[in-house]
Amino acid sequence: DVKVTQSSRYLVKRTGEKVFLECVQDMDHENMFWYRQDPGLGLRLIYFSYDVKMKEKGDIPEGYSVSREKKERFSLILESASTNQTSMYLCASSPGTGGYSNQPQHFGDGTRLSIL
Amino acid sequence: AQKVTQAQTEISVVEKEDVTLDCVYETRDTTYYLFWYKQPPSGELVFLIRRNSFDEQNEISGRYSWNFQKSTSSFNFTITASQVVDSAVYFCALSEGLSSASKIIFGSGTRLSIRP
């Protein structure tokens, strides 16, 4: 079974802090994703990565950055946390077969982040 | 542009009733994939099904069935003889194109409550 592990289930930080959310997957997947989930808005893609050191902006990248130094780890960074970044953050991974696949994404349990 | 609409925000039924969750999508591509995910209270999104745009066959898996109709751009999900364990938020999603890292666009979700 694919396992996507997010470092924290709950996190409370203060406005202006630099926040790191970590995600690790154990299935050697090429693709990794960060989403935020807000009521009524579904899941919105922040950033994704299709290879080590590669990253692409999603729909709402402002205020965030990412890092992928190793294939299994994808970090989301809030450079200077603000209260409107209070949300549920979900990490996902999927295999990259190089052709047309659109394989299902496998999700972690989520991190509920509160910015005070 | 791609879009996924789940018009039903919340549905509540009594156990053993059948329930259908609606999903309508918009896309200009002829090649695309549709997904359903379940998010139980624990938070992790669980993949249920993927369907590509060339396969309009309906699918049944136990108490779950999916009705894909390209003519109406719909991919509806029916649970037969619902159970309390089916209570969750259900997301419909769409992915265009041929890349394995294609973005998935999620609907806003339908919260399903099954009352004993």
Side-chain angles (χ1 to χ4, degrees):
Chain A
D1 261 5
V2 177
K3 186 67 177 175
V4 178
T5 303
Q6 295 184 229
S7 52
S8 306
R9 288 301 304 271
Y10 301 94
L11 205 54
V12 180
K13 296 291 182 181
R14 297 213 171 270
T15 302
E17 280 193 65
K18 191 168 185 176
V19 180
F20 293 86
L21 302 184
E22 306 287 348
C23 176
V24 177
Q25 50 95 3
D26 66 359
M27 284 302 292
D28 202 36
H29 285 171
E30 286 77 10
N31 309 310
M32 296 188 75
F33 307 82
W34 274 107
Y35 295 88
R36 63 176 282 175
Q37 180 181 3
D38 300 288
L41 297 177
L43 276 71
R44 293 179 292 168
L45 181 65
I46 304 171
Y47 268 97
F48 70 99
S49 168
Y50 52 88
D51 202 352
V52 175
K53 297 192 185 295
M54 305 301 290
K55 60 184 179 185
E56 290 215 10
K57 293 180 180 179
D59 300 315
I60 51 165
E62 296 78 20
Y64 303 95
S65 63
V66 290
S67 172
R68 193 159 181 209
E69 296 297 318
K70 293 184 179 180
K71 191 175 186 180
E72 67 271 18
R73 185 179 297 269
F74 192 36
S75 303
L76 179 69
I77 304 156
L78 284 65
E79 298 291 343
S80 177
S82 63
T83 54
N84 63 11
Q85 292 178 309
T86 291
S87 186
M88 168 76 94
Y89 289 86
L90 291 162
C91 176
S93 72
S94 71
T97 61
Y100 46 95
S101 62
N102 299 92
Q103 292 293 325
Q105 294 180 9
H106 299 266
F107 285 82
D109 289 343
T111 296
R112 190 166 291 282
L113 174 65
S114 296
I115 307 297
L116 305 180
Chain B
Q2 50 181 326
K3 184 180 178 183
V4 177
T5 301
Q6 294 180 256
Q8 303 150 308
T9 306
E10 293 192 35
I11 300 175
S12 180
V13 300
V14 176
E15 199 172 20
K16 297 183 184 175
E17 284 187 20
D18 299 347
V19 58
T20 296
L21 309 182
D22 297 333
C23 174
V24 174
Y25 61 92
E26 294 177 29
T27 178
R28 292 178 183 170
D29 272 15
T30 55
T31 302
Y32 53 90
Y33 290 80
L34 296 163
F35 303 80
W36 275 96
Y37 285 86
K38 173 183 180 180
Q39 186 180 39
S42 59
E44 177 186 355
L45 268 79
V46 177
F47 165 73
L48 296 177
I49 190 172
R50 180 185 68 161
R51 172 68 72 224
N52 75 55
S53 52
F54 300 110
D55 182 3
E56 287 193 72
Q57 270 196 323
N58 291 330
E59 178 148 344
I60 298 174
S61 176
R63 295 183 296 106
Y64 293 174
S65 62
W66 290 270
N67 182 3
F68 177 28
Q69 293 197 338
K70 286 177 80 169
S71 59
T72 56
S73 297
S74 65
F75 186 45
N76 296 338
F77 173 31
T78 297
I79 301 175
T80 303
S82 61
Q83 299 176 4
V84 172
V85 293
D86 295 327
S87 297
V89 181
Y90 290 86
F91 290 96
C92 180
L94 164 71
S95 178
E96 289 176 336
L98 304 180
S99 165
S100 61
S102 295
K103 293 194 309 184
I104 293 182
I105 300 297
F106 287 83
S108 55
T110 297
R111 182 177 298 278
L112 177 63
S113 298
I114 309 298
R115 308 189 304 274

